[in-house]
Amino acid sequence: MFRGTPRERVAALARQSLVAQAPAGSAIVCRGERVPGLMVVVEGLAKLALKGDSERVLRFVGAGETFGEAALVLGQPLPIDAVAVADTSLVVVPAAPLLALFDRDRSFARELLATLCRRLQAMVADFESATQHDAGERLAGYLGSLGEEFVCLPAPKALIASRLGMTKETLSRLLRTFMDQGLIKVAKREIRILDPVRLSAAARSSASSRA
């Protein structure tokens, strides 16, 4: 977001920013509250979720990632809950100097707009996945998106299942199915993808019900 912004302007923002700590399980910003600024995760992991009869995790925010941009620009309360999954350190860039930078720095404005557009595209992709693909396809796509032979699930399986729009039981069953087929190996949250091509093919032909 700041890649084209002059270093002195970034330094000025840094001097006005605050460091915040959020213990695991604590609320960072609750739905209906205004974000104090651009929220940047430095260490740890946060989840953005909607709560009702059940919780739906919309996105995980890891180190180097941000949230709260849309609410900040619109001057509206956050429409979701932001909760620390692990002990999390954040940098809070105050709204006023950030919006002032948006007004006078075209490069920053373009990058912020690009960030919001990418977020919108990701939401559309998530909606398509949830409505047009079964649980096996969603899980295979998620594992493939991690992009490594050895991957560590960033959160407990119950939260991963919520992120993928399925139950924890469905997630566990699919992982066992993929293991039985020799496609992956699982040790707690550590997963080794043995054959990503076969994993994708098996997911596409999965008879899993939508969950």
Side-chain angles (χ1 to χ4, degrees), residues 42-65:
V42 179
E43 291 182 322
L45 184 71
K47 65 178 179 180
L48 306 182
L50 285 172
K51 294 181 180 178
D53 294 336
S54 61
E55 180 182 75
R56 176 64 190 271
V57 177
L58 303 178
R59 180 180 161 223
F60 291 115
V61 188
E65 297 180 321

mmCIF file of all heavy atoms in Angstrom, residues 42-65:
data_model
loop_
_atom_site.group_PDB
_atom_site.id
_atom_site.type_symbol
_atom_site.label_atom_id
_atom_site.label_comp_id
_atom_site.label_asym_id
_atom_site.label_seq_id
_atom_site.Cartn_x
_atom_site.Cartn_y
_atom_site.Cartn_z
ATOM 1 N N VAL A 42 1.322 -7.101 12.873
ATOM 2 C CA VAL A 42 2.780 -7.253 12.852
ATOM 3 C C VAL A 42 3.168 -8.689 13.160
ATOM 4 O O VAL A 42 3.987 -9.300 12.483
ATOM 5 C CB VAL A 42 3.439 -6.288 13.851
ATOM 6 C CG1 VAL A 42 4.952 -6.461 13.841
ATOM 7 C CG2 VAL A 42 3.061 -4.846 13.545
ATOM 8 N N GLU A 43 2.585 -9.236 14.204
ATOM 9 C CA GLU A 43 2.812 -10.636 14.582
ATOM 10 C C GLU A 43 1.484 -11.226 15.030
ATOM 11 O O GLU A 43 0.606 -10.513 15.518
ATOM 12 C CB GLU A 43 3.827 -10.743 15.726
ATOM 13 C CG GLU A 43 5.244 -10.379 15.359
ATOM 14 C CD GLU A 43 6.188 -10.560 16.542
ATOM 15 O OE1 GLU A 43 5.776 -10.249 17.679
ATOM 16 O OE2 GLU A 43 7.317 -11.026 16.325
ATOM 17 N N GLY A 44 1.361 -12.542 14.879
ATOM 18 C CA GLY A 44 0.153 -13.202 15.322
ATOM 19 C C GLY A 44 -0.852 -13.394 14.209
ATOM 20 O O GLY A 44 -0.509 -13.380 13.025
ATOM 21 N N LEU A 45 -2.119 -13.537 14.582
ATOM 22 C CA LEU A 45 -3.168 -13.811 13.600
ATOM 23 C C LEU A 45 -4.496 -13.298 14.140
ATOM 24 O O LEU A 45 -4.823 -13.495 15.316
ATOM 25 C CB LEU A 45 -3.274 -15.313 13.332
ATOM 26 C CG LEU A 45 -4.260 -15.748 12.250
ATOM 27 C CD1 LEU A 45 -3.742 -15.361 10.870
ATOM 28 C CD2 LEU A 45 -4.508 -17.257 12.318
ATOM 29 N N ALA A 46 -5.261 -12.645 13.271
ATOM 30 C CA ALA A 46 -6.606 -12.183 13.611
ATOM 31 C C ALA A 46 -7.602 -12.814 12.658
ATOM 32 O O ALA A 46 -7.259 -13.207 11.544
ATOM 33 C CB ALA A 46 -6.687 -10.660 13.532
ATOM 34 N N LYS A 47 -8.825 -12.914 13.119
ATOM 35 C CA LYS A 47 -9.907 -13.386 12.246
ATOM 36 C C LYS A 47 -10.947 -12.283 12.132
ATOM 37 O O LYS A 47 -11.217 -11.554 13.091
ATOM 38 C CB LYS A 47 -10.542 -14.671 12.784
ATOM 39 C CG LYS A 47 -11.257 -14.502 14.110
ATOM 40 C CD LYS A 47 -11.907 -15.807 14.578
ATOM 41 C CE LYS A 47 -12.608 -15.612 15.936
ATOM 42 N NZ LYS A 47 -13.237 -16.852 16.420
ATOM 43 N N LEU A 48 -11.522 -12.150 10.947
ATOM 44 C CA LEU A 48 -12.639 -11.259 10.711
ATOM 45 C C LEU A 48 -13.859 -12.140 10.525
ATOM 46 O O LEU A 48 -13.870 -13.012 9.650
ATOM 47 C CB LEU A 48 -12.398 -10.397 9.469
ATOM 48 C CG LEU A 48 -11.089 -9.592 9.449
ATOM 49 C CD1 LEU A 48 -11.008 -8.751 8.182
ATOM 50 C CD2 LEU A 48 -10.956 -8.719 10.692
ATOM 51 N N ALA A 49 -14.870 -11.944 11.365
ATOM 52 C CA ALA A 49 -15.967 -12.896 11.396
ATOM 53 C C ALA A 49 -17.309 -12.218 11.595
ATOM 54 O O ALA A 49 -17.398 -11.119 12.152
ATOM 55 C CB ALA A 49 -15.738 -13.918 12.514
ATOM 56 N N LEU A 50 -18.349 -12.898 11.120
ATOM 57 C CA LEU A 50 -19.734 -12.524 11.375
ATOM 58 C C LEU A 50 -20.296 -13.518 12.380
ATOM 59 O O LEU A 50 -20.124 -14.737 12.229
ATOM 60 C CB LEU A 50 -20.559 -12.573 10.088
ATOM 61 C CG LEU A 50 -20.353 -11.427 9.089
ATOM 62 C CD1 LEU A 50 -21.088 -11.745 7.788
ATOM 63 C CD2 LEU A 50 -20.867 -10.105 9.661
ATOM 64 N N LYS A 51 -20.969 -13.015 13.390
ATOM 65 C CA LYS A 51 -21.533 -13.878 14.418
ATOM 66 C C LYS A 51 -23.045 -13.820 14.376
ATOM 67 O O LYS A 51 -23.643 -12.762 14.296
ATOM 68 C CB LYS A 51 -21.024 -13.457 15.797
ATOM 69 C CG LYS A 51 -19.533 -13.661 15.997
ATOM 70 C CD LYS A 51 -19.094 -13.241 17.382
ATOM 71 C CE LYS A 51 -17.595 -13.448 17.579
ATOM 72 N NZ LYS A 51 -17.150 -12.999 18.922
ATOM 73 N N GLY A 52 -23.646 -15.000 14.431
ATOM 74 C CA GLY A 52 -25.091 -15.128 14.506
ATOM 75 C C GLY A 52 -25.373 -16.359 15.327
ATOM 76 O O GLY A 52 -24.818 -16.548 16.411
ATOM 77 N N ASP A 53 -26.241 -17.236 14.804
ATOM 78 C CA ASP A 53 -26.433 -18.522 15.464
ATOM 79 C C ASP A 53 -25.140 -19.320 15.445
ATOM 80 O O ASP A 53 -24.884 -20.133 16.340
ATOM 81 C CB ASP A 53 -27.544 -19.313 14.763
ATOM 82 C CG ASP A 53 -28.905 -18.639 14.910
ATOM 83 O OD1 ASP A 53 -29.071 -17.866 15.886
ATOM 84 O OD2 ASP A 53 -29.777 -18.854 14.056
ATOM 85 N N SER A 54 -24.352 -19.115 14.418
ATOM 86 C CA SER A 54 -23.020 -19.706 14.328
ATOM 87 C C SER A 54 -22.072 -18.646 13.777
ATOM 88 O O SER A 54 -22.507 -17.659 13.197
ATOM 89 C CB SER A 54 -23.016 -20.945 13.429
ATOM 90 O OG SER A 54 -23.421 -20.603 12.114
ATOM 91 N N GLU A 55 -20.796 -18.868 13.961
ATOM 92 C CA GLU A 55 -19.806 -17.904 13.483
ATOM 93 C C GLU A 55 -19.339 -18.277 12.086
ATOM 94 O O GLU A 55 -19.106 -19.451 11.793
ATOM 95 C CB GLU A 55 -18.608 -17.871 14.433
ATOM 96 C CG GLU A 55 -17.525 -16.884 14.017
ATOM 97 C CD GLU A 55 -16.327 -16.912 14.955
ATOM 98 O OE1 GLU A 55 -15.542 -17.893 14.867
ATOM 99 O OE2 GLU A 55 -16.176 -15.979 15.753
ATOM 100 N N ARG A 56 -19.173 -17.280 11.228
ATOM 101 C CA ARG A 56 -18.603 -17.500 9.892
ATOM 102 C C ARG A 56 -17.358 -16.641 9.779
ATOM 103 O O ARG A 56 -17.429 -15.402 9.815
ATOM 104 C CB ARG A 56 -19.593 -17.137 8.792
ATOM 105 C CG ARG A 56 -18.997 -17.261 7.375
ATOM 106 C CD ARG A 56 -18.621 -18.693 7.035
ATOM 107 N NE ARG A 56 -17.857 -18.787 5.818
ATOM 108 C CZ ARG A 56 -18.392 -18.934 4.599
ATOM 109 N NH1 ARG A 56 -19.699 -18.961 4.464
ATOM 110 N NH2 ARG A 56 -17.617 -19.052 3.541
ATOM 111 N N VAL A 57 -16.213 -17.306 9.665
ATOM 112 C CA VAL A 57 -14.949 -16.595 9.494
ATOM 113 C C VAL A 57 -14.831 -16.173 8.038
ATOM 114 O O VAL A 57 -14.869 -17.007 7.130
ATOM 115 C CB VAL A 57 -13.749 -17.475 9.900
ATOM 116 C CG1 VAL A 57 -12.440 -16.738 9.637
ATOM 117 C CG2 VAL A 57 -13.844 -17.854 11.376
ATOM 118 N N LEU A 58 -14.686 -14.889 7.804
ATOM 119 C CA LEU A 58 -14.595 -14.360 6.447
ATOM 120 C C LEU A 58 -13.162 -14.291 5.951
ATOM 121 O O LEU A 58 -12.900 -14.453 4.758
ATOM 122 C CB LEU A 58 -15.216 -12.959 6.386
ATOM 123 C CG LEU A 58 -16.666 -12.851 6.850
ATOM 124 C CD1 LEU A 58 -17.127 -11.398 6.791
ATOM 125 C CD2 LEU A 58 -17.568 -13.734 5.992
ATOM 126 N N ARG A 59 -12.241 -14.052 6.868
ATOM 127 C CA ARG A 59 -10.858 -13.846 6.447
ATOM 128 C C ARG A 59 -9.929 -13.966 7.642
ATOM 129 O O ARG A 59 -10.291 -13.595 8.760
ATOM 130 C CB ARG A 59 -10.725 -12.452 5.818
ATOM 131 C CG ARG A 59 -9.350 -12.078 5.324
ATOM 132 C CD ARG A 59 -9.345 -10.679 4.714
ATOM 133 N NE ARG A 59 -7.985 -10.176 4.656
ATOM 134 C CZ ARG A 59 -7.606 -8.946 4.981
ATOM 135 N NH1 ARG A 59 -8.509 -8.060 5.373
ATOM 136 N NH2 ARG A 59 -6.360 -8.566 4.911
ATOM 137 N N PHE A 60 -8.746 -14.510 7.414
ATOM 138 C CA PHE A 60 -7.668 -14.466 8.398
ATOM 139 C C PHE A 60 -6.714 -13.337 8.002
ATOM 140 O O PHE A 60 -6.437 -13.141 6.820
ATOM 141 C CB PHE A 60 -6.897 -15.786 8.447
ATOM 142 C CG PHE A 60 -7.699 -16.936 9.008
ATOM 143 C CD1 PHE A 60 -8.039 -18.021 8.221
ATOM 144 C CD2 PHE A 60 -8.112 -16.929 10.330
ATOM 145 C CE1 PHE A 60 -8.781 -19.068 8.727
ATOM 146 C CE2 PHE A 60 -8.855 -17.974 10.855
ATOM 147 C CZ PHE A 60 -9.192 -19.058 10.048
ATOM 148 N N VAL A 61 -6.219 -12.613 8.982
ATOM 149 C CA VAL A 61 -5.292 -11.515 8.734
ATOM 150 C C VAL A 61 -3.994 -11.840 9.461
ATOM 151 O O VAL A 61 -3.953 -11.876 10.696
ATOM 152 C CB VAL A 61 -5.853 -10.165 9.222
ATOM 153 C CG1 VAL A 61 -4.944 -9.027 8.782
ATOM 154 C CG2 VAL A 61 -7.267 -9.950 8.706
ATOM 155 N N GLY A 62 -2.938 -12.112 8.694
ATOM 156 C CA GLY A 62 -1.659 -12.478 9.274
ATOM 157 C C GLY A 62 -0.651 -11.347 9.237
ATOM 158 O O GLY A 62 -0.971 -10.208 8.858
ATOM 159 N N ALA A 63 0.568 -11.663 9.608
ATOM 160 C CA ALA A 63 1.629 -10.657 9.687
ATOM 161 C C ALA A 63 1.826 -9.959 8.350
ATOM 162 O O ALA A 63 1.904 -10.602 7.300
ATOM 163 C CB ALA A 63 2.934 -11.312 10.140
ATOM 164 N N GLY A 64 1.867 -8.618 8.391
ATOM 165 C CA GLY A 64 2.056 -7.820 7.183
ATOM 166 C C GLY A 64 0.775 -7.477 6.463
ATOM 167 O O GLY A 64 0.798 -6.728 5.486
ATOM 168 N N GLU A 65 -0.358 -8.004 6.931
ATOM 169 C CA GLU A 65 -1.642 -7.727 6.295
ATOM 170 C C GLU A 65 -2.421 -6.689 7.093
ATOM 171 O O GLU A 65 -2.133 -6.435 8.259
ATOM 172 C CB GLU A 65 -2.448 -9.018 6.138
ATOM 173 C CG GLU A 65 -1.765 -10.033 5.231
ATOM 174 C CD GLU A 65 -2.567 -11.306 5.072
ATOM 175 O OE1 GLU A 65 -3.160 -11.763 6.067
ATOM 176 O OE2 GLU A 65 -2.593 -11.837 3.958
#
